[in-house]
Amino acid sequence: MEKINVILVEDSSFWLQQLSKELLNQNDFLLIGTATNREEALELSIENNPDVIILDINLTENNLDGLDFAEELAKRKEINSKIIILSGIMEEDVILESFAIKNVVNYLSKFNILDIFQAVRDAYHGKAGIHSDVSEILRNAYRKNRKEVRLSLLTPAERELYDLNNKGFTKNEMARKLHKSFNTIKSQLRSMRNKMKGR
């Protein structure tokens, strides 16, 4: 049976022990090494070029230095390991920053640690399955980004109408406030809505 070569990078001795034990129990995995810090992880990855790296996001207290390691690895052309982040941090900005790194293919909460094994198999087989822990966060970030892109298409006058519309102003109230005709407001609102369709 072909085995999936895995490296585990985790600074907590508890999680390192628990995960190592579980990984060794998987018949299709070969745990080729563990690391507790960025330097060890880099050395181990360069020596072995594993299929998958399971990476804790914080390797020294709360420094997010796991991400620094992932970015450093992504710059090395000789390493094509896929990285799965396993973390207790579920903040949107950290998750988005993680997925911006080329080799990061998934992100799981430590509370769903048993899902890591399927995530490793999916990563190895090139399946793009994003774990449910972060899928809603990614969807919301995408929607927010789409809305911001559409808002950037509005002229300053349309943006002003957009803000007034969101505050509940009627067309007549907008016309009075902005010293414009009712028909001008109507026309600008139509243009604004066309640009914002699908937000």
Side-chain angles (χ1 to χ4, degrees), residues 10 13-14 20 27 29-30 36 40 45 53 57 62 96 100 116 120 125 139 146 150 153 156 160 162 171-172 186:
E10 172 61 68
S13 55
F14 170 78
S20 296
N27 293 331
F29 291 2
L30 178 62
T36 58
E40 287 175 6
S45 300
I53 299 170
I57 211 163
N62 293 315
L96 294 177
I116 193 73
V120 168
H125 293 292
R139 271 194 294 273
R146 278 187 73 187
R150 284 187 161 87
L153 299 173
E160 195 171 24
Y162 177 85
K171 291 184 187 92
N172 283 324
K186 197 172 165 184

Side-chain angles (χ1 to χ4, degrees), residues 76 127 134:
R76 295 179 172 268
K127 294 181 182 175
V134 296

Side-chain angles (χ1 to χ4, degrees), residues 1-197:
M1 173 196 293
E2 189 177 351
K3 299 220 175 197
I4 304 170
N5 294 328
V6 179
I7 285 176
L8 173 60
V9 184
E10 172 61 68
D11 69 324
S12 159
S13 55
F14 170 78
W15 286 112
L16 191 66
Q17 187 178 1
Q18 291 299 112
L19 267 171
S20 296
K21 184 176 149 193
E22 293 294 337
L23 287 164
L24 290 168
N25 285 336
Q26 307 298 311
N27 293 331
D28 53 339
F29 291 2
L30 178 62
L31 180 60
I32 55 176
T34 63
T36 58
N37 61 54
R38 182 176 160 182
E39 292 74 26
E40 287 175 6
L42 191 58
E43 188 178 327
L44 200 55
S45 300
I46 292 168
E47 281 175 16
N48 297 283
N49 191 18
D51 299 312
V52 178
I53 299 170
I54 300 171
L55 176 64
D56 181 13
I57 211 163
N58 282 330
L59 299 176
T60 43
E61 298 178 13
N62 293 315
N63 292 328
L64 300 180
D65 46 350
L67 291 184
D68 295 335
F69 160 72
E71 283 179 343
E72 196 169 341
L73 215 59
K75 293 175 189 168
R76 295 179 172 268
K77 293 188 172 106
E78 72 275 17
I79 307 287
N80 55 8
S81 308
K82 294 183 171 73
I83 297 173
I84 298 171
I85 303 284
L86 187 63
S87 177
I89 300 172
M90 299 308 289
E91 295 166 19
E92 181 183 294
D93 58 334
V94 175
I95 292 165
L96 294 177
E97 189 179 339
S98 300
F99 278 108
I101 301 168
K102 181 179 75 171
N103 296 12
V104 174
V105 296
N106 215 332
Y107 192 117
L108 283 79
S109 163
K110 283 185 174 174
F111 294 110
N112 290 315
I113 200 162
L114 295 179
D115 294 344
I116 193 73
F117 310 118
Q118 189 57 49
V120 168
R121 292 179 184 103
D122 288 347
Y124 177 73
H125 293 292
K127 294 181 182 175
I130 303 294
H131 194 269
S132 60
D133 284 342
V134 296
S135 60
E136 190 58 30
I137 291 168
L138 292 176
R139 271 194 294 273
N140 288 338
Y142 173 73
R143 288 184 194 115
K144 188 167 40 173
N145 186 52
R146 278 187 73 187
K147 183 178 177 183
E148 286 168 7
V149 167
R150 284 187 161 87
L151 284 172
S152 72
L153 299 173
L154 300 181
T155 65
E158 290 168 344
R159 181 59 195 256
E160 195 171 24
L161 286 179
Y162 177 85
D163 292 336
L164 291 174
N165 191 49
N166 280 350
K167 289 176 183 172
F169 279 64
T170 66
K171 291 184 187 92
N172 283 324
E173 289 170 334
M174 289 180 202
R176 278 194 301 275
K177 181 168 179 60
L178 300 174
H179 309 290
K180 294 181 179 180
S181 74
F182 180 85
N183 285 336
T184 300
I185 294 294
K186 197 172 165 184
S187 172
Q188 287 179 332
L189 280 171
R190 190 181 313 114
S191 172
M192 178 203 78
R193 287 184 180 124
N194 284 338
K195 289 178 184 177
M196 293 299 291
K197 262 184 194 164

